[in-house]
Amino acid sequence: MKLKMPELNLPGHPKPLTRIARCVSRDWQIYVLLLPVLIYFIVFHYFPMYGVQIAFRKYRFVDGISGSQWVGLKNFKDFMGAYYFGRLLSNTLLLNLYGLLWGFPIPIILAILLNQLDRARFKKFTQTAIYVPHFISTAVIAGMLYLFLSPSSGVVNYMIKALGGTPINFMIEASWFRSLYIITDIWQHAGWNTILYLAALTAIDPEIYEAATIDGANKRQKILYIDIPYLVPIMVMVFILNAGGLLSSNTDKALLMQTSGNMSTSDIIGVYVYTMGIQGGQFSYTAAIGLFVNIINFFMIISVNWVARRLGETSLF
Amino acid sequence: MKKTAFSGRHIIKSRGDRLFDGINLGFWILVLALTLYPLWIIIIASVSDPDAILAGRVLIWPADFSMIGYQAVFKHKELWNSYFNALIYTLFGTLLSVSVTMMGAYGLSRKFTGKKLVNFIIVFTMFFTGGLIPIFLNVRDLGLYNTRAILILINSVSVWNLMVARTYMQSTLPNELYEAAVIDGANHFSYFFKIVLPLSGTIIAVLSVYYGVARWNDYFSAMVFIRDRSKLPLQTVLREIIATLTTSTSNESFFSAYADDIKGMTDAMRQAAVAKYCTIVVSTGPAVLLYLFMQKYFVKGVMIGSLKG
């Protein structure tokens, strides 16, 4: 006869199965409410993660994802040996680096200065106005670029001519691509990106400012010694998130701004994946490029996060 | 936040601070001009005569008021078909997104077994994705390629919005409220539908604007998942009309509506030049107006949500 294990039946130690059953009977309604979200993430995010294996295969439609021939790292080697590899890599990196260089500090400066505006109505109007460009689509932004920068009828070239200069055909000049890309990004999103910083600034206890005023601090000193230290944790968080995207690309915008003239700077990895993969049907090759980028981004974000934590500042996780 | 006696304009400022305020005001007037002037040009050009635009006379005020651009836009059949498509995708997509997000956010705001795992499953997707090609193949294998459904289903939940909504619920609905409701016989379903939803107007408004505008402005999904021109949303068609360098091909769609004879042809070319500005107004108007209309909920809701998130 087997020994019974009475302690398992005590109230404090229910059998594992009973424990799960008890949790389900208590929490099942929460699980039901979470079900749609989980189904979405599993079907549209985790299924593709399973499909990533085609990066190591020679994908053929008839064979399917798991039936196609295994080729190991061939697709990755092909990409690294490709004629355009260096150009794609440096274009993507430079575009994101310059974008971070300008796009990271500007919202912080805007938030601090907006917070210093005394006139309540003007402040409110300004805040509303600088968010507006965020709601304009990428297609329209690109359209506005083509309209305003047109060498024959654009406003910008009209002004250049009026000032005595010669018109520039901005959209086919490779040297202008990055500047235009970053300027429009800032025009569109810098205002919007102040939200996080403004939220932190309005949460600062007014008594701290009062104490500083009594001690004779001027506005510049209040910004330097109160505002900025309060914003550091958010800066770190935003920086970590941005650092994780150094090789990713805003494919939709670059695709719209790409012309035959500016290819030498506008050819970035995301656009290459779209044209070679979706349009050209080279699924395995481009899936490998995508995976290459994702892995680098993943390690970037982990390492920047690690450094931030070591330095004693905030970290994401 | 209430102004205290020591801050703001109520006390005499030092000279340095007054100088600072003056420069700051000037800076913001410049920023406002840079932000709004491009939008203003679009609006005044859309109601001006094409010849005046080409001559560079439309810089501050409309010149030779004319509506021929809008006439061209209203007669453009494909544009209106895509406009209607975009309305459908945006309406159903936003409805789906907001419902799923609210349900999920409520779940994540409560304690339950397995919460850590669920959180991980969701947050991990922010840091690692399959990439464009596996996503495309997945959609094709699911039989959703070239269907209207995919433009409603794809990107229907954003991790960021989910977290903002969860934080909002945690910070505005105290746990005592839930406990009191449970004593009165509520379960999660009745609490969610009868108490949480009615008290979450602000965050529902914010989510609707976020999701709605993202849908309305998306052109790339259709470039990946749609083949039939009749199913394309507005922004994808817009791309062909305005966001291309070669004017000849992009004007074609406007020409075709008019070019019955030679005279019609030159008129059509003139119209096409101004119609580009009009399509921008017609397509961007709804998104910007929705934002301005919802604006008062907006900043408040976003700030509450982002404070702890």
Side-chain angles (χ1 to χ4, degrees):
Chain A
M1 205 179 118
K2 278 181 184 171
L3 271 174
K4 266 197 170 177
M5 303 204 340
E7 68 270 36
L8 275 184
N9 292 330
L10 288 173
H13 299 274
K15 279 180 201 158
L17 266 178
T18 349
R19 216 172 69 202
I20 290 171
R22 195 180 290 172
C23 289
V24 169
S25 76
R26 190 190 59 206
D27 296 333
W28 70 272
Q29 293 185 327
I30 292 184
Y31 296 136
V32 170
L33 289 169
L34 280 168
L35 200 61
V37 169
L38 284 175
I39 290 175
Y40 166 78
F41 280 106
I42 288 166
V43 171
F44 289 102
H45 288 266
Y46 286 87
F47 281 14
M49 283 187 208
Y50 168 80
V52 157
Q53 56 177 285
I54 66 158
F56 303 97
R57 294 175 185 275
K58 190 176 188 254
Y59 178 75
R60 290 199 314 166
F61 182 62
V62 282
D63 298 329
I65 287 171
S66 52
S68 295
Q69 185 199 348
W70 186 266
V71 294
L73 294 174
K74 180 185 174 295
N75 294 313
F76 295 87
K77 284 178 190 151
D78 283 354
F79 177 52
M80 286 178 215
Y83 179 68
Y84 286 123
F85 175 71
R87 181 171 103 169
L88 286 166
L89 202 64
S90 70
N91 277 346
T92 311
L93 259 175
L94 285 177
L95 187 64
N96 285 321
L97 270 179
Y98 291 140
L100 190 61
L101 198 67
W102 292 99
F104 178 68
I106 288 177
I108 302 171
I109 297 167
L110 289 181
I112 290 173
L113 291 179
L114 188 66
N115 191 47
Q116 290 293 339
L117 275 180
D118 287 333
R119 298 151 212 263
R121 282 183 64 188
F122 180 71
K123 185 177 176 179
K124 183 111 203 321
F125 173 78
T126 308
Q127 208 179 346
T128 307
I130 59 173
Y131 296 161
V132 168
H134 182 77
F135 293 89
I136 296 172
S137 74
T138 322
V140 166
I141 293 288
M144 284 165 72
L145 275 178
Y146 283 104
L147 283 171
F148 292 159
L149 300 178
S150 156
S152 56
S153 60
V155 180
V156 175
N157 273 312
Y158 179 78
M159 287 175 180
I160 291 176
K161 273 186 271 185
L163 294 171
T166 42
I168 302 167
N169 199 344
F170 290 94
M171 298 309 286
I172 64 162
E173 295 267 359
S175 57
W176 274 100
F177 172 77
R178 278 180 205 133
S179 310
L180 293 175
Y181 186 100
I182 291 163
I183 290 169
T184 45
D185 254 13
I186 287 169
W187 182 76
Q188 218 189 336
H189 304 299
W192 181 257
N193 290 341
T194 58
I195 287 184
L196 273 178
Y197 298 109
L198 276 175
L201 286 176
T202 45
I204 298 176
D205 189 345
E207 280 182 24
I208 296 174
Y209 287 114
E210 284 165 28
T213 313
I214 292 168
D215 289 345
N218 61 27
K219 285 200 165 188
R220 190 183 61 89
Q221 288 164 323
K222 282 180 218 163
I223 290 174
L224 279 178
Y225 301 114
I226 301 174
D227 290 356
I228 292 181
Y230 264 95
L231 292 182
V232 166
I234 297 169
M235 293 184 205
V236 174
M237 194 186 83
V238 173
F239 189 82
I240 297 172
L241 281 173
N242 281 326
L246 271 187
L247 266 193
S248 56
S249 20
N250 194 351
T251 309
D252 51 351
K253 188 167 164 190
L255 192 65
L256 290 171
M257 289 177 60
Q258 192 169 77
T259 61
S260 52
N262 63 21
M263 281 294 277
S264 63
T265 49
S266 69
D267 200 18
I268 59 172
I269 296 175
V271 177
Y272 185 71
V273 168
Y274 175 78
T275 42
M276 300 294 275
I278 303 292
Q279 293 182 333
Q282 297 190 41
F283 294 132
S284 282
Y285 176 55
T286 46
I289 301 173
L291 183 59
F292 170 83
V293 167
N294 284 340
I295 289 173
I296 291 180
N297 281 339
F298 187 71
F299 281 105
M300 277 296 292
I301 207 166
I302 299 276
S303 41
V304 175
N305 187 66
W306 182 80
V307 171
R309 202 164 47 191
R310 286 302 291 268
L311 290 176
E313 301 294 352
T314 352
S315 61
L316 268 186
F317 38 82
Chain B
M1 197 159 298
K2 241 191 121 193
K3 254 188 194 143
T4 53
F6 290 104
S7 68
R9 290 196 278 173
H10 303 292
I11 60 160
I12 301 153
K13 287 184 208 159
S14 71
R15 239 178 61 194
D17 279 2
R18 264 183 302 169
L19 184 69
F20 178 94
D21 282 342
I23 294 172
N24 196 20
L25 188 67
F27 170 78
W28 279 105
I29 290 171
L30 184 72
V31 170
L32 280 178
L34 287 172
T35 308
L36 299 177
Y37 184 59
L39 302 173
W40 178 243
I41 291 195
I42 298 287
I43 293 169
I44 58 174
S46 75
V47 291
S48 292
D49 188 77
D51 296 331
I53 300 173
L54 290 173
R57 285 196 286 123
V58 184
L59 293 174
I60 295 159
W61 212 242
D64 308 332
F65 183 85
S66 135
M67 295 297 276
I68 62 164
Y70 285 103
Q71 287 166 5
V73 168
F74 279 104
K75 284 185 201 155
H76 196 293
K77 281 214 184 73
E78 189 170 34
L79 195 71
W80 287 109
N81 180 48
S82 70
Y83 208 95
F84 176 74
N85 285 341
L87 277 177
I88 299 283
Y89 301 145
T90 305
L91 205 68
F92 286 100
T94 308
L95 200 65
L96 176 77
S97 294
V98 174
S99 334
V100 172
T101 303
M102 285 302 286
M103 281 160 45
Y106 174 74
L108 291 174
S109 74
R110 302 245 68 99
K111 286 196 198 88
F112 62 92
T113 318
K115 186 170 173 175
K116 271 198 171 151
L117 177 70
V118 172
N119 255 324
F120 178 80
I121 290 175
I122 293 169
V123 174
F124 184 71
T125 61
M126 271 178 101
F127 302 109
F128 194 81
T129 66
L132 181 67
I133 304 300
I135 290 172
F136 168 77
L137 293 178
N138 176 43
V139 165
R140 205 183 60 181
D141 291 347
L142 292 170
L144 290 169
Y145 178 70
N146 200 26
T147 60
R148 289 172 191 273
I150 189 59
L151 291 186
I152 291 168
L153 291 171
I154 199 80
N155 299 331
S156 52
V157 183
S158 118
V159 181
W160 181 261
N161 289 350
L162 193 61
M163 294 307 160
V164 167
R166 183 208 58 187
T167 313
Y168 180 91
M169 285 179 193
Q170 280 172 343
S171 55
T172 54
L173 303 168
N175 204 37
E176 290 77 32
L177 192 63
Y178 171 70
E179 280 158 14
V182 169
I183 291 168
D184 289 343
N187 53 31
H188 285 299
F189 284 165
S190 53
Y191 179 66
F192 175 68
F193 286 107
K194 288 187 184 144
I195 296 173
V196 175
L197 283 187
L199 287 176
S200 300
T202 309
I203 197 67
I204 291 174
V206 171
L207 290 176
S208 307
V209 175
Y210 269 172
Y211 281 125
V213 171
R215 294 261 172 203
W216 182 258
N217 283 343
D218 180 24
Y219 87 93
F220 191 63
S221 301
M223 298 256 303
V224 176
F225 300 118
I226 298 295
R227 192 180 47 223
D228 294 349
R229 288 194 66 85
S230 61
K231 292 175 189 160
L232 291 181
L234 175 67
Q235 301 291 337
T236 316
V237 172
L238 208 63
R239 171 191 154 264
E240 295 168 11
I241 298 175
I242 57 172
T244 40
L245 188 66
T246 45
T247 41
S248 54
T249 52
S250 52
N251 285 349
E252 245 165 53
S253 52
F254 279 115
F255 288 169
S256 56
Y258 303 94
D260 301 329
D261 49 56
I262 302 294
K263 190 189 163 293
M265 191 73 183
T266 48
D267 272 357
M269 277 168 78
R270 275 160 39 85
Q271 274 179 325
V274 65
K276 291 184 179 188
Y277 292 94
C278 305
T279 47
I280 292 182
V281 174
V282 174
S283 63
T284 309
V288 171
L289 287 180
L290 181 70
Y291 155 65
L292 290 176
F293 187 69
M294 297 287 218
Q295 211 257 121
K296 67 173 174 173
Y297 303 95
F298 215 67
V299 175
K300 198 173 71 187
V302 176
M303 288 207 174
I304 294 171
S306 61
L307 222 55
K308 292 176 188 167

